[in-house]
Amino acid sequence: MDLQKIIKKYSENLDFLELNLRSSRNEAISLNDGLTNTSSSFGNGHSVRALFKGAWGFSASNNESVEKTIMKAVENAKFLSKTNKFKIKKFELNPIKGDEKSLCRKNPFDIDKKEKIKNLMVIEKEIKKDDKIKSASLAYSFSNINSHLVNSFGSDVSFERTYSYAKCVVFAKQGEKVEIGYESLGKKQGYEFIDSLDFSMYQNAVNKAKKLLSSKPAPAGKFKVIMDSIMAGTFFHEAIGHACEADAVLQNNSVFKNRIGKKIGAEYVNVYDSPIEEKESTGNYEYDDEGIKSGKLCLIKNGVLENYMHSVETATRMGVEPTGNGRKENITGNPIPRMSITVVNSGTWKTDELIKDTKEGIFLKGCSNGCTDTLKGDFTFEASEGIIIRNGELTDETIKGACLMGNTKTILNEIDACTDKQIMDWSASRCGKAGAYVPVQSKCPSIRLLKCLIGGVQ
Amino acid sequence: MKELLKKIINEGNKLGYVEAGVAVQKSSELEYENELVRNVKNLSLDELRIRITLKDGRCGVSISSPEEWKKCLDDAYTLAKISNPDKDFKSIPELKKAFPVKKQFLKLISSDNLIKFSDELINSAKKYDKRISIEDISISQGNSNLFLMNSNNIYNNEESGLLSASLSVKCGGTNAFESHSSFNMFKPREIAEKASELCINSLNPKKYKTVKTSVIMDYYAFSSLVSACLVGSLSGYNVQKKRSVFAEKMGEKVMDEKITIIDNGLMENGLFTSSRDSEGVPQQKTVLIDKGVIRNFMYDTYTALKENKESTGNCGSISSRPSVEETNFIIKKGDISFEEIVKDVKNGLYVTNVIGEHTVNPVSGDFSLPVINSFSVKNGEMSFPVKDTMISGNFFELLKNVRYIGNKYRQENSVVCPVVCFDNVQAVC
């Protein structure tokens, strides 16, 4: 199928036409206490968006012809143009040609599935040597995505990406108490990623669950807090990142609206969104889902808000260049501004010095989940474990269920220290927005907050 | 589609037990930026799922589109062959007579009518109070036609159509959200007015205090906690796996006697009402908790046969095994009105919504959640909206001591529940 030809045929009289063909293949193999669950999926489909007299129309299908879907998208745009008050000004895009190749060295779909199950069985056996671990779920999953995007400005961009993930959930039991330990890792790689794994991820999950058995519920109130690099990654993603997405700004839903060039935090706060940071990161990409070449984007420099993250549409409307943050999960939605790899510059503190300096407080590690209300700036997320700091030392008192709450407008001023090492968090994290999930990761130092609200039960 | 499924079953019967399902889905949606439609969107998608289980319980699943059925069947078989045998597997479901269901079915409405619907939503919100502006709207409708067939002569075809609308309004730095999904056409005005009223009431919030207090949980807040940990703890699978606080507690009193919980797959116009579940077992009404006492858990065929029981019609999907999911999960209402509950609270919090419910520990029930659109209650009256406040505790402990259960229902996704009032909940500020 000559996609350029098809685009030419239908784009007459339109402001913009974009066609995206995608095929994907997935495989998931899991082992739940000896019981296997195996599944595969494969398929292809396409999505089309059309801009007519400033109005968007979108259509996607896996059971209709490309031409029929184009006609449907154009029909949707024409329908909307009749009543529409929301109009996108005509824009120009430089044509981009590109082909991002998969980094995969060992195709996970070629590897004997039996070998994968055997691997998991060996790990399960090892995990269950610990008599507190009563139940475990282990999984590998692999996905391969092929995308071909063409638009009426002459762009023609393809990519192939392969992702491999390993996940582990263990349940530790002591008397009536049951606690969960969860760990996951993911890379934009093939089966070589699975080959590279040792037992440490699984041991971490086991340790976490066991530690929680003897942990006390988190105290409630305001505390001095040190977040490890993993929790800091989620913190910057939730507290800062979402408010820097240009669609939230345009919808008047961001606390950072009209704040470009303004000081919003302490001067050693430097935050970037960088899809090119680590080539094996699941958040890495060379071209975004609009075919825009990606690069490292500075969001906050020395405490001053520098840039928002843009899709083609938000950039056009705000009169700047697209930043390569237009992402989508699959054919069912339009690309919108999204994060990729959240990068925070390191500071000068050594971790042990920071703990010593903190005197009394809580050291929070890892992070399970978080969410944000960008309008009000309220965010919350939960540490997977916490340790009480007393007299400048980590005690052996561990806490669980420490949920942190704060507001974007004020929290940045509470950061008063960053440690001297950035650590890449390879967890298999995904960020959900408008119903679409995209892989994201982070690379941060540990940070300290002078005052932070923790919702505990004590 | 029936012919295709017959072909798949005939072909697959040579290999093992086969279950095949096709979903044909059409949907359309209006995307908004604040109050203006920015995109008209439609989707047309087909999906085929095949699950093959060999006699010794080895099982494989493959998902693709109906045209790819041959490769899909091959893949499922390949995966089944390499899987581990499972001594707990006995059989896939047998054909049983389903109960009649009462469920409306909405046909796709035109884009014109969708726009009229949204105009009314916007206008009603603004009419409620001039200060209100629109933060976000989403209006979508979907029509799905599901087919299912298995080696044991089960065949089912069910069509359904759902209209969903949600609205976020904002005013002076605060916002509020309201939504509704239904198989019936509904009036947008009610959603708009509820959201607007809540938003206006939430203006100028004040600090609350760190204290143990009474908490009245409204539908969104209560149903969030129910789905975050209570639903899963009554799944037969989690109980068998000892991943539930209710494991080995059948027949015991685990909650306040004011609480009765029913999973009702046949509830009239329930969002999860259907004649059969995802593996073709008739859906039913199952009493899970009766006046605080555990009477039953939810099962699919696999988990039920493991205990020589019958499935309760709670199979959520054939893409994995086991797959136990709730249908319409009902916390039975009480007999006291919301106004009477408020009147009886001397000091407390009225919590309409929480954020971050996915941080709740699904097994232990520990939670600490920021509240939004919530109010201080003083001497039986709403006092002031609160800010920067969290509630925390253990949900299963709260359920042991319930002060009041409201007398009205509302369905949020799968959870159907009234307003509930608890004492001694930790508020953190």
Side-chain angles (χ1 to χ4, degrees):
Chain A
M1 209 177 346
D2 186 343
L3 299 187
Q4 287 293 355
K5 229 180 186 169
I6 294 178
I7 285 280
K8 243 188 214 129
K9 180 174 163 192
Y10 287 97
S11 58
E12 217 176 307
N13 301 325
L14 295 178
D15 299 342
F16 179 67
L17 183 65
E18 178 190 77
L19 167 62
N20 184 203
L21 264 56
R22 277 200 183 204
S23 64
S24 66
R25 185 172 175 189
N26 303 285
E27 183 182 283
I29 292 189
S30 68
L31 188 70
N32 307 298
D33 298 324
L35 184 70
T36 42
N37 242 322
T38 54
S39 68
S40 76
S41 67
F42 58 95
N44 51 62
H46 52 268
S47 66
V48 177
R49 57 176 174 159
L51 189 66
F52 177 74
K53 292 188 178 164
W56 284 114
F58 176 94
S59 185
S61 176
N62 72 349
N63 56 13
E64 309 269 21
S65 71
V66 167
E67 300 202 33
K68 198 166 170 197
T69 306
I70 293 180
M71 287 190 275
K72 188 72 205 165
V74 173
E75 184 190 316
N76 286 343
K78 288 190 169 164
F79 164 76
L80 186 56
S81 71
K82 281 184 248 159
T83 54
N84 199 25
K85 290 177 204 140
F86 176 91
K87 293 206 188 305
I88 304 283
K89 268 193 212 147
K90 246 186 173 174
F91 59 88
E92 295 286 328
L93 268 185
N94 293 326
I96 299 165
K97 310 266 177 202
D99 188 5
E100 177 183 336
K101 301 271 188 233
S102 169
L103 297 174
C104 166
R105 293 197 302 273
K106 209 168 160 186
N107 186 347
F109 301 96
D110 289 346
I111 304 293
D112 186 1
K113 296 171 180 55
K114 265 191 181 156
E115 186 191 315
K116 296 167 187 159
I117 294 179
K118 234 187 253 168
N119 269 348
L120 292 176
M121 287 172 73
V122 171
I123 298 164
E124 186 184 296
K125 207 172 158 193
E126 193 61 35
I127 286 176
K128 291 205 170 160
K129 276 184 184 165
D130 196 305
D131 59 3
K132 288 211 171 65
I133 304 300
K134 299 295 179 202
S135 180
S137 295
L138 308 170
Y140 291 147
S141 60
F142 308 97
S143 86
N144 183 271
I145 301 164
N146 270 286
S147 163
H148 186 184
L149 179 123
V150 290
N151 68 30
S152 52
F153 291 114
S155 286
D156 192 322
V157 176
S158 300
F159 67 74
E160 180 181 3
R161 293 178 195 143
T162 309
Y163 300 97
S164 297
Y165 299 100
K167 291 175 191 169
C168 161
V169 189
V170 301
F171 294 78
K173 196 166 189 277
Q174 191 170 37
E176 291 271 287
K177 273 193 206 165
V178 182
E179 293 290 352
I180 307 173
Y182 173 76
E183 284 286 329
S184 70
L185 291 172
K187 284 192 175 176
K188 197 172 87 170
Q189 275 188 316
Y191 201 75
E192 64 273 16
F193 164 67
I194 302 294
D195 286 338
S196 74
L197 290 175
D198 57 17
F199 191 67
S200 56
M201 169 179 109
Y202 303 100
Q203 190 61 53
N204 288 344
V206 168
N207 294 347
K208 224 183 243 181
K210 278 167 58 185
K211 222 183 268 171
L212 287 175
L213 283 176
S214 58
S215 295
K216 285 192 203 143
K222 283 190 172 143
F223 299 92
K224 209 182 255 190
V225 160
I226 301 176
M227 295 184 201
D228 78 342
S229 58
I230 293 177
M231 193 167 190
T234 313
F235 169 80
F236 282 104
H237 175 103
E238 295 296 345
I240 309 301
H242 281 299
C244 292
E245 290 167 339
D247 53 342
V249 177
L250 282 165
Q251 288 165 35
N252 298 319
N253 288 345
S254 168
V255 290
F256 288 161
K257 188 177 170 154
N258 298 327
R259 303 283 289 162
I260 294 272
K262 303 250 164 69
K263 196 156 169 16
I264 55 168
E267 66 185 31
Y268 35 80
V269 178
N270 289 284
V271 186
Y272 302 83
D273 183 79
S274 177
I276 55 169
E277 192 66 18
E278 292 273 350
K279 68 180 198 315
E280 288 154 358
S281 165
T282 56
N284 175 290
Y285 52 87
E286 199 180 332
Y287 297 95
D288 74 0
D289 293 312
E290 302 183 283
I292 304 294
K293 186 125 175 122
S294 65
K296 186 168 181 167
L297 178 72
C298 180
L299 302 175
I300 300 173
K301 195 174 182 184
N302 302 329
V304 175
L305 185 64
E306 287 269 301
N307 287 296
Y308 301 129
M309 287 170 270
H310 286 283
S311 63
V312 166
E313 184 195 313
T314 62
T316 305
R317 291 170 59 193
M318 294 178 87
V320 295
E321 288 297 310
T323 58
N325 287 88
R327 300 182 74 188
K328 61 182 187 184
E329 181 183 2
N330 51 36
I331 56 161
T332 63
N334 272 321
I336 51 173
R338 303 298 295 264
M339 283 172 259
S340 58
I341 307 169
T342 302
V343 179
V344 177
N345 281 3
S346 52
T348 50
W349 286 86
K350 297 258 179 264
T351 307
D352 51 348
E353 286 170 8
L354 190 59
I355 292 168
K356 204 171 162 191
D357 185 76
T358 301
K359 293 191 184 82
E360 310 286 318
I362 303 177
F363 188 71
L364 295 175
K365 285 166 78 174
C367 192
S368 30
N369 274 305
C371 68
T372 306
D373 175 336
T374 53
L375 172 70
K376 286 184 291 202
D378 291 339
F379 59 84
T380 179
F381 53 103
E382 191 189 18
S384 37
E385 51 183 307
I387 306 169
I388 302 286
I389 303 170
R390 199 171 290 130
N391 301 323
E393 277 175 23
L394 288 180
T395 62
D396 51 10
E397 289 169 51
T398 53
I399 55 167
K400 61 177 178 179
C403 234
L404 201 143
M405 178 188 170
N407 190 286
T408 304
K409 281 179 274 191
T410 51
I411 199 81
L412 280 185
N413 292 315
E414 301 291 340
I415 300 177
D416 85 320
C418 302
T419 58
D420 58 353
K421 258 197 207 106
Q422 282 176 315
I423 296 174
M424 183 71 198
D425 177 11
W426 294 104
S427 303
S429 343
R430 297 191 314 158
C431 166
K433 176 176 162 188
Y437 284 83
V438 295
V440 292
Q441 288 182 327
S442 67
K443 191 178 175 181
C444 294
S446 298
I447 60 163
R448 181 168 68 185
L449 297 176
L450 284 175
K451 201 169 64 204
C452 181
L453 185 64
I454 290 184
V457 288
Q458 269 189 334
Chain B
M1 215 44 90
K2 192 173 179 180
E3 290 311 305
L4 172 73
L5 287 175
K6 264 188 193 160
K7 249 194 271 178
I8 296 170
I9 301 295
N10 283 338
E11 199 69 26
N13 274 340
K14 298 170 199 160
L15 313 169
Y17 293 108
V18 198
E19 297 161 282
V22 173
V24 180
Q25 284 169 315
K26 291 205 186 305
S27 65
S28 61
E29 191 185 332
L30 300 179
E31 281 184 353
Y32 281 81
E33 181 166 312
N34 303 125
E35 63 187 65
L36 303 178
V37 192
R38 60 182 309 282
N39 187 16
V40 175
K41 186 175 159 180
N42 76 285
L43 302 174
S44 166
L45 301 164
D46 285 358
E47 188 181 81
L48 167 69
R49 289 171 188 233
I50 299 178
R51 173 161 79 178
I52 293 190
T53 314
L54 309 183
K55 286 239 149 47
D56 59 5
R58 285 177 293 161
C59 172
V61 174
S62 181
I63 303 166
S64 190
S65 57
E67 307 88 78
E68 299 276 8
W69 71 272
K70 277 192 172 151
K71 187 171 179 319
C72 198
L73 190 67
D74 276 353
D75 272 15
Y77 183 54
T78 309
L79 288 168
K81 277 192 297 186
I82 55 107
S83 292
N84 291 352
D86 180 0
K87 60 178 174 26
D88 291 321
F89 171 77
K90 307 229 166 62
S91 175
I92 61 168
E94 305 276 344
L95 179 62
K96 271 192 197 149
K97 200 166 180 274
F99 303 99
V101 292
K102 279 188 191 161
K103 189 165 105 176
Q104 302 263 352
F105 160 43
L106 188 77
K107 289 237 156 60
L108 288 184
I109 52 178
S110 68
S111 299
D112 267 327
N113 284 329
L114 274 188
I115 288 195
K116 272 185 203 141
F117 184 90
S118 75
D119 283 346
E120 195 182 333
L121 193 64
I122 295 162
N123 294 335
S124 315
K126 293 178 134 183
K127 217 170 130 187
Y128 182 87
D129 192 303
K130 273 190 298 216
R131 293 170 289 174
I132 292 282
S133 63
I134 309 294
E135 181 182 13
D136 197 17
I137 301 179
S138 120
I139 292 174
S140 63
Q141 54 168 346
N143 177 310
S144 67
N145 200 353
L146 305 171
F147 301 84
L148 175 78
M149 197 181 272
N150 79 7
S151 303
N152 285 347
N153 300 315
I154 287 181
Y155 172 73
N156 193 36
N157 173 212
E158 254 175 278
E159 205 173 347
S160 71
L162 191 69
L163 176 66
S164 302
S166 72
L167 172 72
S168 289
V169 294
K170 57 184 175 184
C171 172
T174 190
N175 54 359
F177 170 85
E178 190 55 52
S179 71
H180 191 61
S181 292
S182 174
F183 298 115
N184 288 316
M185 199 57 205
F186 53 89
K187 292 246 177 310
R189 210 183 77 192
E190 208 174 313
I191 305 174
E193 289 179 351
K194 269 190 195 161
S196 307
E197 183 186 1
L198 190 57
C199 188
I200 295 291
N201 287 344
S202 304
L203 280 172
N204 306 317
K206 289 186 210 155
K207 287 250 176 207
Y208 196 62
K209 51 197 168 199
T210 299
V211 65
K212 286 225 171 187
T213 187
S214 300
V215 166
I216 305 169
M217 281 192 203
D218 207 290
Y219 306 99
Y220 279 123
F222 187 53
S223 66
S224 293
L225 277 157
V226 168
S227 33
C229 58
L230 180 58
V231 171
S233 68
L234 289 164
S235 137
Y237 175 66
N238 287 332
V239 168
Q240 288 171 358
K241 282 281 174 197
K242 312 237 181 312
R243 293 174 186 176
S244 160
V245 289
F246 301 138
E248 292 158 17
K249 292 205 169 152
M250 178 64 86
E252 286 182 31
K253 185 166 178 296
V254 293
M255 289 175 202
D256 193 297
E257 60 191 17
K258 293 188 200 76
I259 299 182
T260 291
I261 301 175
I262 299 158
D263 182 79
N264 188 355
L266 305 171
M267 180 181 131
E268 192 172 338
N269 283 325
L271 293 177
F272 291 80
T273 296
S274 183
S275 63
R276 290 176 189 277
D277 71 3
S278 299
E279 54 181 358
V281 174
Q283 292 199 169
Q284 62 177 49
K285 184 174 167 180
T286 312
V287 176
L288 303 169
I289 305 277
D290 184 19
K291 296 188 179 113
V293 177
I294 305 184
R295 293 290 176 214
N296 218 331
F297 296 116
M298 298 178 280
Y299 297 98
D300 63 354
T301 301
Y302 172 85
T303 49
L305 290 178
K306 197 170 167 181
E307 295 180 39
N308 292 316
K309 287 185 172 163
E310 287 198 16
S311 164
T312 51
N314 284 98
C315 174
S317 158
I318 56 166
S319 20
S320 74
R321 196 191 65 203
S323 162
V324 179
E325 268 175 34
E326 76 281 15
T327 61
N328 304 295
F329 190 89
I330 306 168
I331 318 287
K332 217 173 154 188
K333 63 184 182 183
D335 46 18
I336 179 166
S337 72
F338 173 68
E339 291 74 21
E340 286 170 295
I341 296 177
V342 176
K343 224 179 198 172
D344 209 44
V345 171
K346 206 162 176 224
N347 277 304
L349 267 179
Y350 166 52
V351 176
T352 70
N353 211 342
V354 291
I355 53 174
E357 59 272 20
H358 45 284
T359 63
V360 176
N361 185 318
V363 181
S364 70
D366 287 336
F367 69 91
S368 66
L369 299 167
V371 302
I372 50 174
N373 301 114
S374 297
F375 305 86
S376 159
V377 181
K378 191 125 188 122
N379 298 325
E381 276 176 27
M382 293 293 162
S383 172
F384 57 86
V386 302
K387 64 175 180 184
D388 303 340
T389 305
M390 296 174 100
I391 51 170
S392 62
N394 181 286
F395 193 54
F396 297 114
E397 288 301 316
L398 289 190
L399 291 171
K400 287 180 183 166
N401 198 355
V402 180
R403 184 154 152 202
Y404 292 121
I405 298 190
N407 62 1
K408 276 193 186 137
Y409 280 134
R410 173 166 173 167
Q411 180 156 24
E412 280 314 316
N413 298 313
S414 59
V415 177
V416 182
C417 67
V419 171
V420 173
C421 177
F422 300 103
D423 283 331
N424 279 321
V425 182
Q426 179 73 56
V428 186
C429 188

